[in-house]
Amino acid sequence: MGAASWEVRRLAERTPPSRERFVDLLRAVSIVAVVLGHWLATVVGYNEHGELTGRSALPDLPWAQPLTWVVQVMPVFFFVGGYANAVSLAAERRRGGNAAEWLIRRSGRLVPPTTALVLVMGGGALAAGLFDADPARVRTVVWLASIPLWFLVAYLMVVVLTPPMHALHRRYGLAVAPVLVGLVAAGDVARLLGHDFWGNGNFLFGWLAVHQMGFAWRDGLLARPRVAVPLLLGGVGALLLLTLAGPYPISMINVPGERLHNMSPPSLALLAVATAQIGAALLLRDRGERWLRHTRRWTAVVAVNSAIMTIFLWHVSAAILLVAALHVAGVLPTPEAGSAAWLAWRLPLLALFTVVLAPLVAIFGPIETRGSRRLGIPVPAGLTRMAARRVVRLWLALAGFAGVAFALLANSLWPSTAPTVSGMPAVALITYLACAAILRLLRSTPPATEAEPRHQ
């Protein structure tokens, strides 16, 4: 841990003055908010057979549903992702790289920590099987631990489409996002008419629309406050209209039994929330930049971002481990959702969840750090890639990303009767490991470079 702390401090101290620190703060806040939301809004109890159960507390807490307009900050992550991806793609091109090289580099941040989770889930399930654990229960635990992977599927799709979507942005600017919003509206209409299948495109169009706004922020098209205030007020106004007068539910987190969900897939109401949040972020940007000039604050943000994927991927596993330990010890609290006892237990449980998550981040965080480009270190001027092998590498990178996304999605959607390996669908596990290996091989075998005169 001492070496890791020293590395974080070094990266914080070497941050270039030109870096948009507020972007890193928003990324950290958005993921931490998701983690805390999952921990706070979960109800754990026992069914009539004495078996552990878990569910969302939102159906029992109607007063809390408007709060999701603030705490549902996943749109902020995609907005920041658009900004960061535009920056890194431009840096790759300055080095003489292309879309394939950029995707391969990006996979180094996303795939290794995910592979660690997949392998540990598989190993844990295999060990449970050796002790004659109930296969159905093992499959349930594996499914719960893999819940964070749904988000990664959506983000992987957005990352793969970043080069062509950024090209569209450079040509058409802010005109691209309204087209994507129109596609989301069409998907919502289909869902309202009972044709849910045609609304699945919103998983892509909705997040792409938010991601596209990150490109606009990077290029200075979202000037403040000329754009920020209308975005904030327009987003709030549209949200009130869509939820109070329109057919959309109030909660921005899926509530069982609702006719239409706002989150899975993203709806117009969620895009209204995203619009308001983007406006608020832009208004807070200058103040946030000044606040982050304090060394300790910035170092804390760097520390969180250095293991941001690890924190997100393992926070559900931490909750499972804690609940299992309390259950075995016979001290698991199971008050009724919304009761005074349930509310009183929120802060102690948050502290306990954090204690369990901390060693998981200490163990698996270095995997993410080693796989990513170091934060704050300027990209060296470099060598120009040869045209040879670029097409092959691009298609291999796309195939790797597509296979990883398919495997992660299949792990959640595959029928429970499908053949499994260590508690996971066999097809999904084999596909994931094969495609992760392809991306790892691509990262370890850079393309040939052209000879260049030495830079003076």
Side-chain angles (χ1 to χ4, degrees), residues 77 165 314:
F77 184 87
M165 295 307 297
W314 287 93

Side-chain angles (χ1 to χ4, degrees), residues 58 66 77 100 121 123 141 148 151 159 167 180 183 197 207 214 253 257 268 291 298 334 348 386 416 431:
L58 285 176
F77 184 87
M121 286 193 302
V141 172
F151 148 79
V159 168
L180 294 168
L183 292 172
F197 173 80
W207 295 126
I253 298 174
L268 279 181
W291 186 79
W298 174 237
T334 58
M386 292 179 64
S416 59
T431 302

Side-chain angles (χ1 to χ4, degrees), residues 35-37 39-40 322 345-355:
V35 170
L36 296 179
W39 286 349
L40 285 170
L322 176 63
W345 260 105
R346 296 305 91 192
L347 288 181
L349 280 178
L350 282 182
L352 291 173
F353 285 143
T354 303
V355 168

Side-chain angles (χ1 to χ4, degrees), residues 363-375:
I363 294 170
F364 298 105
I367 297 174
E368 177 180 355
T369 304
R370 286 194 298 267
S372 63
R373 189 186 307 163
R374 294 182 176 181
L375 177 66

Side-chain angles (χ1 to χ4, degrees), residues 7-330:
E7 178 71 7
V8 167
R9 288 196 300 271
R10 186 180 70 87
L11 294 177
E13 292 169 356
R14 296 184 62 183
T15 302
S18 60
R19 187 177 185 89
E20 186 84 15
R21 301 185 181 203
F22 191 55
V23 170
D24 298 280
L25 176 63
L26 289 178
R27 182 191 295 112
V29 168
S30 63
I31 292 298
V32 171
V34 171
V35 170
L36 296 179
H38 284 169
W39 286 349
L40 285 170
T42 300
V43 180
V44 178
Y46 296 95
N47 61 18
E48 62 273 15
H49 303 294
E51 297 175 338
L52 278 173
T53 62
R55 60 181 178 82
S56 170
L58 285 176
D60 302 315
L61 306 173
W63 56 266
Q65 294 184 18
L67 298 178
T68 62
W69 296 358
V70 177
V71 300
Q72 176 51 280
V73 289
M74 195 57 76
V76 174
F77 184 87
F78 279 84
F79 175 58
V80 169
Y83 184 103
N85 287 334
V87 171
S88 64
L89 182 59
E92 183 66 44
R93 285 172 172 154
R94 286 196 301 271
R95 283 193 297 267
N98 62 356
E101 303 311 315
W102 181 79
L103 285 173
I104 293 167
R105 287 177 182 271
R106 224 52 176 163
S107 73
R109 182 64 184 264
L110 300 173
V111 176
T114 308
T115 302
L117 177 63
V118 169
L119 292 177
V120 170
M121 286 193 302
L126 181 61
L130 294 177
F131 287 95
D132 297 323
D134 181 3
R137 185 171 298 176
V138 172
R139 177 73 181 99
T140 299
V141 172
V142 169
W143 179 84
L144 288 171
S146 66
I147 284 176
L149 299 181
W150 78 262
F151 148 79
L152 193 58
V153 173
Y155 192 65
L156 282 171
M157 292 189 297
V158 169
V159 168
V160 168
L161 290 174
T162 291
M165 295 307 297
H166 192 255
L168 288 175
H169 166 75
R170 287 190 294 175
R171 181 165 184 176
Y172 299 107
L174 287 171
V176 179
V179 173
L180 294 168
V181 172
L183 292 172
V184 171
D188 283 357
V189 170
R191 288 197 289 158
L192 288 169
L193 294 176
H195 304 293
D196 290 350
F197 173 80
W198 297 105
N200 288 330
N202 288 5
F203 281 109
L204 180 61
F205 303 137
W207 295 126
L208 278 177
V210 182
H211 192 257
Q212 207 74 12
M213 295 298 288
F215 296 161
W217 183 21
R218 171 67 178 85
D219 289 349
L221 299 179
L222 304 181
R224 307 167 303 273
R226 182 169 56 88
V227 174
V229 173
L231 284 175
L232 175 59
L233 298 180
V236 172
L239 179 61
L240 293 173
L241 183 64
L242 292 169
T243 56
L244 300 182
Y248 294 88
I250 292 176
S251 176
M252 293 299 121
I253 298 174
N254 294 352
V255 176
E258 293 283 3
R259 180 186 177 190
L260 190 71
H261 290 159
N262 286 319
M263 185 64 184
S264 300
S267 69
L268 279 181
L270 184 66
L271 293 186
V273 167
T275 302
Q277 290 177 348
I278 289 172
L282 294 173
L283 287 175
L284 294 172
R285 182 264 172 190
D286 290 340
R287 182 175 298 178
E289 283 289 327
R290 290 193 296 270
W291 186 79
L292 289 170
R293 293 298 164 182
H294 189 281
T295 302
R296 289 186 178 179
R297 295 167 186 164
W298 174 237
T299 301
V301 172
V302 172
V304 173
N305 275 282
S306 67
I308 197 71
M309 286 298 299
T310 305
I311 292 170
F312 179 77
L313 289 171
W314 287 93
H315 78 280
V316 175
S317 298
I320 293 172
L321 291 173
L322 176 63
V323 169
L326 295 177
H327 166 69
V328 171

